[in-house]
Amino acid sequence: MSLFSIKMRASEGERHISGAERIAPTEKIGDVIAALAQRAAHHSLGEPDFINIKLERIAPEEIRRVPALAISTRPAKTIEGSFEIMKELLLAEGLTQQEAEGVIGQVRSVQVMRGAMLYDVASDRRMEPDKERGIRVTYMDAEESSTASGKNHFREALVLATKVANGPGMIAELCISDDPDYITGYFASRTAGYVRLTPLKEMGDSHGGRVFICDSRRGNIDELIKYLEKTPVIVENVPDQPC
């Protein structure tokens, strides 16, 4: 059975509007393309003037299958309360107080990037080869992917977070959505699972970003980047909504 990686990117001028991807068998390609095109054309960030949809065949034997991270929710009364929980989770992963506060500061202040920031605690350095582009996590989908055109923030974030957490040398991921209508972010790691944190920003705020925290003493950075950007991953047992 042939499988295809199907990626969509939409923009207006230089401004990113929407992006999504699926891994689908040949017989579902048409439905997936139609759904992604509809999604690109109707987004809260505006109407794009450029939509690109790319198809690439993937050999089934190249695909790695991993179970979805365990899911939990840690609500807080305030945004600052959510960041205190995030710091608590980072300390539990072995980061020092200074390291935890540093990476939280990075995710709160990160400028618009196409991808994520990659921070190595061993060297106290950002490791993205291109600081403006960041690290783009691609080639991933849920085992039972949907052809619906609407965005399911939770499901898509869980798939990405699960792939990232299984990378060599990865410690944790911090995420704030750049969608102005979505105020829930997350902390994810193999030990803590996928921890939903809300609120992480005010409604209407389009600021958002990701920070991947790794340790080069636990895994090679080049191998980690190759895994994140090139290795096809199917995530199993992904629910449509949080429990």
Side-chain angles (χ1 to χ4, degrees):
M1 178 182 66
S2 293
L3 293 171
F4 282 81
S5 164
I6 307 172
K7 298 184 179 73
M8 177 274 288
R9 293 288 179 268
S11 59
E12 180 187 22
E14 296 297 318
R15 186 168 70 103
H16 172 77
I17 295 291
S18 181
E21 68 175 278
R22 298 285 183 270
I23 295 175
T26 306
E27 62 269 19
K28 290 188 177 181
I29 286 176
D31 291 338
V32 172
I33 290 175
L36 292 179
Q38 277 289 108
R39 172 166 164 177
H42 301 91
H43 197 279
S44 59
L45 290 178
E47 182 177 332
D49 56 22
F50 177 81
I51 300 172
N52 177 270
I53 296 179
K54 175 184 175 182
L55 284 78
E56 181 181 355
R57 187 162 64 184
I58 300 174
E61 62 270 18
E62 294 177 357
I63 294 175
R64 180 176 172 184
R65 294 179 178 270
V66 296
L69 294 174
I71 305 154
S72 62
T73 302
R74 296 281 301 273
K77 292 182 180 179
T78 65
I79 293 171
E80 291 305 317
S82 291
F83 282 108
E84 283 300 315
I85 295 170
M86 185 181 284
K87 183 166 73 172
E88 169 194 322
L89 292 166
L90 285 168
L91 294 175
E93 295 289 339
L95 272 69
T96 66
Q97 185 91 4
Q98 183 177 358
E99 289 170 339
E101 291 174 355
V103 293
I104 288 173
Q106 295 277 17
V107 77
R108 297 189 75 167
S109 63
V110 66
Q111 301 300 311
V112 176
M113 294 172 60
R114 293 172 60 195
M117 183 185 300
L118 180 63
Y119 170 72
D120 175 28
V121 295
S123 62
D124 188 26
R125 291 171 50 211
R126 289 177 57 178
M127 305 302 290
E128 316 95 87
D130 183 335
K131 300 296 188 294
E132 291 186 6
R133 177 183 181 272
I135 302 298
R136 295 280 299 278
V137 183
T138 59
Y139 298 100
M140 61 192 169
D141 202 354
E143 183 177 30
E144 298 293 333
S145 65
S146 171
T147 57
S149 59
K151 180 172 183 175
N152 185 323
H153 292 89
F154 163 73
R155 184 179 172 90
E156 294 180 15
L158 178 59
V159 169
L160 185 147
T162 299
K163 176 175 180 176
V164 171
N166 283 276
M170 274 298 303
I171 297 175
E173 175 190 356
L174 313 181
C175 176
I176 304 174
S177 172
D178 63 1
D179 191 320
D181 299 325
Y182 196 70
I183 62 173
T184 299
Y186 65 83
F187 173 98
S189 73
R190 285 191 294 271
T191 52
Y194 179 87
V195 185
R196 303 173 70 243
L197 301 173
T198 189
L200 276 175
K201 65 179 186 179
E202 300 286 351
M203 187 67 73
D205 183 356
S206 60
H207 166 267
R210 282 190 169 88
V211 176
F212 300 150
I213 306 161
C214 66
D215 187 337
S216 56
R217 295 164 296 193
R218 303 185 194 179
N220 180 272
I221 296 294
D222 290 338
E223 290 180 5
L224 173 60
I225 293 174
K226 182 178 178 181
Y227 163 81
L228 294 172
E229 297 195 331
K230 298 295 184 182
T231 300
V233 171
I234 297 273
V235 181
E236 301 172 334
N237 304 316
V238 179
D240 286 332
Q241 299 296 331
C243 302

